[in-house]
Amino acid sequence: MSFVEYGDTIKDGDTAIVFLGHESMFPVKVQHGTVTQTKYGVIRHSTDLIGKKYGSKVTCSKGGWVFILHPTPELWTMNLPHRTQILYSTDISIITMMLELKPGSIVCESGTGSGSLSHALIRTVAPTGHLYTVEFHQQRAEKAREEFREHGVEHLVTVTNQDVCKNGFGVSNIADAVFLDIPSPWEAIGHAKSALKAEGGRICSFSPCIEQVQRTCLAMEEYGFTEINTLEILLRVYNVRTISLQIPDLGKAAEDNSSTGFDSSSPSHQGSPCANLQQGTVQFKSGVPLREVVGHTGYLTFATKS
């Protein structure tokens, strides 16, 4: 199993996603002799998982069922163990696009955190690119190395435990892009410039506060970066549902119906648009925004090395 290469069959040691519903799923490490408890009953790894195909419908001990999904960076973002605040797919998608990443790209990142963005970056630059990720916290760095090894992507990433603001990324003049998600990104702009290739490299800084953005932009100008711009991405989800609206009485509907001999009580006319007009309402599908939406996550500041 690998997060960058799809496998058909569930094997011992794989990380799989147990899907109970769109709002209920969780990761599990598949192991011989292990059982997983769900609200639908027990899943026995040896008989219910190992050897089955990803996407299979598995019946639990209580008669309910779940789907077993192959892990992807998107599913991992929704289900990973949180060691820090993480970036979600809305911000990750714009970061990947604006940094102009592609297979073969070299990327530097700090900090690693829970690895949400890291998995997406690795999938984007595979199979010939590489991610250099720096994490200040020793335990988080060790846990990230362990996860990358379990997920089959350790050959595509190098994890370093150090302070990027003091010691940099450990590489020079090779990176196509740099990403910063640290409390004081302005202190790492000089090291980011050193890590980027000679010309045209892209940089992105994620900060929750506008004061951080201001200081980062000043540092970018000081180090000669160009095309500096800041974005905030807000996701607005719509529900598609049937709604009813009253039809205004324009004075002609009744006359037209009487002149054509229309009978709304006739079974053949039940449910027709004209029948709805007679009743004063009409039903149709409409997109309605959710009453509660996710608000501000952070500001994304992009720039180009001149």
Side-chain angles (χ1 to χ4, degrees):
M1 185 279 303
S2 171
F3 271 56
V4 296
E5 296 177 2
Y6 184 80
D8 287 333
T9 307
I10 304 171
K11 299 182 178 65
D12 187 23
D14 282 2
T15 298
I17 304 296
V18 180
F19 180 89
L20 291 82
H22 289 290
E23 303 298 328
S24 179
M25 58 184 111
F26 59 90
V28 63
K29 185 173 182 179
V30 180
Q31 294 177 310
H32 270 294
T34 303
V35 298
T36 297
Q37 296 283 350
T38 74
K39 63 181 180 180
Y40 300 128
V42 172
I43 301 173
R44 293 176 176 82
H45 293 200
S46 299
T47 57
D48 296 333
L49 298 185
I50 296 176
K52 299 288 182 65
K53 290 197 174 214
Y54 279 107
S56 296
K57 185 177 180 180
V58 174
T59 302
C60 303
S61 61
K62 292 182 180 178
W65 47 267
V66 299
F67 288 103
I68 308 300
L69 305 180
H70 192 284
T72 65
E74 291 79 14
L75 288 174
W76 186 245
T77 290
M78 298 169 64
N79 296 282
L80 57 76
H82 285 237
R83 300 183 288 273
T84 59
Q85 292 287 335
I86 69 170
L87 289 174
Y88 289 92
S89 296
T90 306
D91 289 319
I92 291 174
S93 59
I94 197 73
I95 290 169
T96 303
M97 183 188 74
M98 294 294 286
L99 289 182
E100 301 173 5
L101 301 183
K102 60 186 182 299
S105 295
I106 306 297
V107 186
C108 293
E109 174 200 26
S110 183
T112 312
S114 301
S116 173
L117 176 65
S118 303
H119 282 82
L121 294 177
I122 291 169
R123 196 260 308 273
T124 302
V125 304
T128 56
H130 201 84
L131 171 66
Y132 295 89
T133 181
V134 178
E135 173 56 52
F136 175 78
H137 193 275
Q138 182 179 357
Q139 290 180 329
R140 288 202 292 263
E142 292 173 354
K143 185 62 178 176
R145 287 194 194 98
E146 179 184 340
E147 285 181 352
F148 293 142
R149 186 168 54 254
E150 290 179 353
H151 297 164
V153 296
E154 71 276 8
H155 61 292
L156 295 169
V157 57
T158 300
V159 182
T160 306
N161 173 219
Q162 64 187 27
D163 185 354
V164 71
C165 295
K166 294 180 180 179
N167 307 114
F169 293 94
V171 297
S172 298
N173 301 320
I174 64 169
D176 297 291
V178 170
F179 177 81
L180 299 174
D181 182 6
I182 54 178
S184 52
W186 56 89
E187 295 180 1
I189 298 299
H191 294 296
K193 183 177 181 180
S194 299
L196 287 168
K197 60 187 180 182
E199 186 177 358
R202 294 280 286 165
I203 184 173
C204 174
S205 173
F206 177 90
S207 298
C209 301
I210 195 64
E211 291 82 6
Q212 293 170 299
V213 175
Q214 292 170 335
R215 297 187 66 172
T216 302
C217 289
L218 290 174
M220 287 178 174
E221 288 183 345
E222 181 181 345
Y223 281 95
F225 283 90
T226 59
E227 299 178 340
I228 302 171
N229 64 89
T230 299
L231 311 175
E232 180 185 22
I233 310 301
L234 299 176
L235 179 65
R236 192 176 190 189
V237 179
Y238 280 75
N239 277 339
V240 178
R241 65 187 189 189
T242 302
I243 65 172
S244 298
L245 290 179
Q246 286 189 336
I247 298 299
D249 183 6
L250 302 179
K252 291 193 66 178
E255 297 176 9
D256 292 343
N257 289 337
S258 61
S259 63
T260 58
F262 180 85
D263 183 6
S264 62
S265 62
S266 171
S268 62
H269 291 148
Q270 292 293 332
S272 69
C274 291
N276 285 333
L277 287 174
Q278 287 291 92
Q279 296 163 7
T281 64
V282 65
Q283 293 184 336
F284 59 92
K285 297 289 185 182
S286 177
V288 181
L290 300 181
R291 293 185 179 180
E292 294 183 3
V293 297
V294 177
H296 171 75
T297 55
Y299 301 103
L300 294 168
T301 301
F302 297 91
T304 303
K305 183 178 178 179
S306 176

